[in-house]
Amino acid sequence: MGKQGSPRSPRPEPQIDDDLSSGTKDYDPSNVGRRMPGGDNHLNSKMLLLHGLRNDSVKYTTCKGSFVGKKHLWLRKDVRSIIFVFALMGFLLLLDSFLVSIFDSMVLQNSSAIRKLPVLKEEDRNAYLMKEKAPVQMYDRLLKLAKGALAEKEFKPELSTLWKEPYRQVAAWKPCADRKVSPSLGKYKKGNGYIVVSANGGLNQQRVAICNAVAVASLLNATLVLPRFLYSNVWNDPSQFGDIYQEEHFMDVLKDEVKVVKELPSHLKSLDLEAIGSLITDADLVKEAKPIDYIRVVLPLLLRNRIVHLLGYGNRLGFDPLPSELQRLRCKCNFHALKFVPEIQHVGSLLVRRIRKYDAALSMLDKQLLGNFMHSSPSKEHDAARGPSKYLALHLRFEIDMVAYSLCEFGGGESEKKELQTYREVHFPLLIERLKNSKPVSPRELRKLGRCPLTPEEAGLVLAGIGFKHGTYIYLAGSQIYGGNSRMNSFTSLYPNLVTKETLLTPSELAPFQNFSSKVTEHFYSF
């Protein structure tokens, strides 16, 4: 039997005879068994109990009806929201299908238009890749930050220290090459032999190789043969030492410390240096080697064969630790002995004067680099169009050889990857072989490690952060930027006053240097 008030179905009520309930009829014991005393009272109590159950059932039915009514009311209210959500989802699906159909139709139209375009010839493909690329902005966020920094600085006074040397002691500095050589450190009467150097790379690598060779020749008490420049299929420039630097001046400046000759003696010219073991490559000397490495590796060969050839020589002499006398000699080579030939000095002086608008006084560096081609008096030719004497010389180092060698990515997609890989296979076969035997590093990781050339957006952000304003006059050095003008769009939007050697010099003035990139492209950066 269930408890009272439980939600089970109410029991069927017992049928009680009316006569029995009224007590007017005698009780028939054959029907219900033995009659107990007080039976009438017991029957009345049962009837009261049944009446109570009937009342509880009515109450329960009322509560249940109230609960069901509230439930139906909630459904009526929320069914509208549910219907609205489903309707909105259906509308969005229809809109998405509509937009996809429009996009597909546009793609079909573009593909049919592309089929009608003429096919580029093989010889025009490289020019197309370099000049006709769509504008590339690798970091929109960096560009926005740079624009914000420029806008913020535009109405503020320029920093007084922006165009000055950062150290107060600079006025007291003196060139280390001006120090006199101690008489006790003079040259030996008899040298140990001859050093031949074949330098590679562009301007920076060549100058480093030359001055390192001067220091090594002094260290090993050897005679230095005028360095040679290896031909590079990157630069495509056959220029040699005498085409760029003044040979006699170089030999004369160094004569008291290192003996320099133009050629080897005849009895050494015919030797097979590789066969006798006098050919020294990068595999024999570590990068930025110490003086003791040259004494251990090079000096024994020099004493035995009287000649060594440093092939592919570059940054193979370290800076620290290095005896002060060797460092002084290296500085003397770089800033005094290496002087450009007159034709380069002349064109360089034209560049400097046109950039400065003849406003600036000559400095010691002007005289050292340009000789007598710089005049101290201003020219009247450009007086009416005088511009700012302050300018910034900038080398982005974003040529295709630097970009390809870095193994980085610069936002050009699959076409860029294929182009740079092809360039590496043609121009850097040793790099390709090295990559086969080493663990690959992802372009993203290379960029995190700081091994990628700065993009134009990054360079613009750096200049804006330093404090250079929107109107800064900038001379862009170097050869063709990878990607052409489209790659420079972001930078020129930040700094529009950008000039190059092509905009400053006339075609006739540039003509003698057209096929000599090492002469004009890199060396004009020195000015």
Side-chain angles (χ1 to χ4, degrees), residues 79-129:
V79 73
R80 298 177 182 176
S81 301
I82 294 172
I83 294 173
F84 175 76
V85 170
F86 277 100
L88 180 61
M89 292 176 63
F91 173 75
L92 292 176
L93 289 173
L94 289 174
L95 180 62
D96 180 70
S97 301
F98 177 70
L99 292 176
V100 169
S101 62
I102 293 178
F103 176 77
D104 290 340
S105 62
M106 292 175 63
V107 170
L108 289 174
Q109 291 177 0
N110 291 337
S111 61
S112 61
I114 290 173
R115 293 190 193 100
K116 297 178 181 179
L117 289 175
V119 179
L120 290 175
K121 296 181 180 179
E122 184 66 27
E123 55 268 24
D124 297 332
R125 190 165 296 165
N126 293 333
Y128 175 82
L129 288 172

Side-chain angles (χ1 to χ4, degrees), residues 351 355 390-399 454-457 459-460 463 472-493 495-505 510 520-527:
L351 277 175
I355 292 173
K390 300 175 182 177
Y391 70 94
L392 176 68
L394 177 66
H395 199 321
L396 289 178
R397 301 298 293 168
F398 204 72
E399 299 92 351
L454 292 182
T455 65
E457 295 90 347
L463 294 181
T472 302
Y473 203 57
I474 298 178
Y475 169 67
L476 185 64
S479 59
Q480 294 295 327
I481 298 298
Y482 173 64
N485 293 331
S486 62
R487 180 68 76 163
M488 288 296 295
N489 285 341
S490 57
F491 187 88
T492 53
S493 68
Y495 294 100
N497 293 331
L498 192 72
V499 294
T500 63
K501 60 184 181 293
E502 287 80 11
T503 59
L504 292 170
L505 299 176
L510 278 173
V520 62
T521 300
E522 293 282 357
H523 292 82
F524 287 173
Y525 176 54
S526 303
F527 306 132

Side-chain angles (χ1 to χ4, degrees), residues 26-37:
D26 291 335
Y27 178 67
D28 186 1
S30 63
N31 291 333
V32 294
R34 186 175 178 179
R35 184 183 179 98
M36 298 295 295

Side-chain angles (χ1 to χ4, degrees), residues 286-304:
V286 299
K287 186 177 181 181
E288 297 186 358
K290 299 177 181 179
I292 189 63
D293 296 322
Y294 284 89
I295 294 175
R296 291 173 178 173
V297 176
V298 181
L299 184 58
L301 297 175
L302 185 65
L303 293 174
R304 185 183 70 192

Side-chain angles (χ1 to χ4, degrees), residues 306-318:
R306 301 289 296 170
I307 184 173
V308 292
H309 181 191
L310 303 177
L311 179 63
Y313 195 63
N315 56 341
R316 295 292 154 179
L317 180 62

Side-chain angles (χ1 to χ4, degrees), residues 354-360 382-390 473:
R354 290 171 186 174
I355 292 173
R356 292 178 179 173
K357 305 291 185 182
Y358 306 91
D359 286 325
H382 290 277
D383 280 355
R386 282 189 177 185
S389 60
K390 300 175 182 177
Y473 203 57

